[in-house]
């Protein structure tokens, strides 16, 4: 896949814009500067890759806005090598950012068409999450728990208990909570039972859907 000097230039401009919008974490800014977003866009929309907006991908889902990806990654702020679970692989763009940050990434997608498409893309790009799982992330991923961080990239009606229980002590859950609009929320696990909760601005995500079977 091609990453031209034109793409790289557009990416530098995007990163400058994200700084203006308040992203300060150098590792996050570098990860966005290094990761070609156009590789993760649907065909026909590649030319919009460096516009700071969400765009449609397969199965009525969206590739998150770069600002949102940067904002959530900045809230996660974990050391290199940390074990991170992503709920909602979608296009794989946020996954690529987490990998660029040096995390061990587990990522789950419930939508079959998207899962297959993104699995092919990961192979093509030589991207290596620890696991790319097809299933319901509402339940987390018990097989690899506990995690240093969990990042949810779809709007959750409430915080799923399974995700809280799969955090290490000191671990962080970054989750947009709400129905029509979501409040970005960070929960840090203090001990077995207690979590510190901090809320940030409002965002718009496609819904986190629970598989009821
Ligand atoms: N990180 C992605 C965001 C995609 S949109 C990107 O930047 O492209 C959110 C994704 O969450 C969609 O692909 C949707 O199918 C998925 N999703 C929704 N509910 C889910 C669930 N319960 N488990 C796993 N994935 C889910």
């Amino acid at each position: 896949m091609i990453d031209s000097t034109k793409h790289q230039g557009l990416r530098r401009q995007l990163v400058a814009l994200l700084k203006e919008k308040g992203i300060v974490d150098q590792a996050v800014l570098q990860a966005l500067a290094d990761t070609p977003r156009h590789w993760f866009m649907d065909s026909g929309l590649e030319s919009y890759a460096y516009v700071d907006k969400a765009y449609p991908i397969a199965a009525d889902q969206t590739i998150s806005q770069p600002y949102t990806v940067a904002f959530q990654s900045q809230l996660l702020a974990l050391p290199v090598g940390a074990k991170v679970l992503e709920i909602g692989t979608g296009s794989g763009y946020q996954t690529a950012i987490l990998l660029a940050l040096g995390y061990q990434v587990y990522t789950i997608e419930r939508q079959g068409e998207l899962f297959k498409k993104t699995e092919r893309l990961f192979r093509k790009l030589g991207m290596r999450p620890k696991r790319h799982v097809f299933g319901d992330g509402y339940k987390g991923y018990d097989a690899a728990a506990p995690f240093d961080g969990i990042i949810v990239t779809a709007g959750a009606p409430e915080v799923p208990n399974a995700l809280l229980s799969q955090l290490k002590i000191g671990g962080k859950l970054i989750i947009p909570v709400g129905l029509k609009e979501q409040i970005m929320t960070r929960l840090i696990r203090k001990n077995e039972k207690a979590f510190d909760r901090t809320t940030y601005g409002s965002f718009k995500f496609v819904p986190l859907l629970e598989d009821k079977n």
Side-chain angles (χ1 to χ4, degrees), residues 23-135:
I23 304 297
V24 292
D25 186 308
Q26 282 305 324
V28 169
L29 291 166
Q30 193 62 50
L32 273 104
D34 290 345
T35 307
R37 187 174 185 242
H38 62 278
W39 291 350
F40 299 88
M41 301 284 290
D42 253 22
S43 54
L45 295 176
E46 291 96 338
S47 60
Y48 299 101
Y50 301 108
V51 179
D52 190 22
K53 281 187 185 165
Y55 284 96
I57 52 176
D60 286 334
Q61 303 304 318
T62 55
I63 177 169
S64 297
Q65 185 181 339
Y67 176 74
T68 305
V69 170
F71 194 88
Q72 289 195 276
S73 304
Q74 180 168 279
L75 287 180
L76 200 57
L78 292 166
V80 168
K83 198 166 137 190
V84 173
L85 174 64
E86 177 191 24
I87 315 292
T89 317
S91 68
Y93 178 61
Q94 172 78 70
T95 318
I97 297 297
L98 296 171
L99 288 169
L101 286 165
Y103 302 151
Q104 301 178 56
V105 182
Y106 296 78
T107 183
I108 308 188
E109 174 57 55
R110 67 173 287 282
Q111 219 294 322
E113 180 193 348
L114 253 180
F115 173 81
K116 281 190 215 138
K117 191 172 176 215
T118 301
E119 178 66 24
R120 278 198 298 274
L121 182 66
F122 285 170
R123 278 167 203 264
K124 198 163 154 190
L125 296 176
M127 267 174 62
R128 296 197 190 284
K130 286 270 165 195
R131 288 291 310 274
H132 180 210
V133 182
F134 175 53

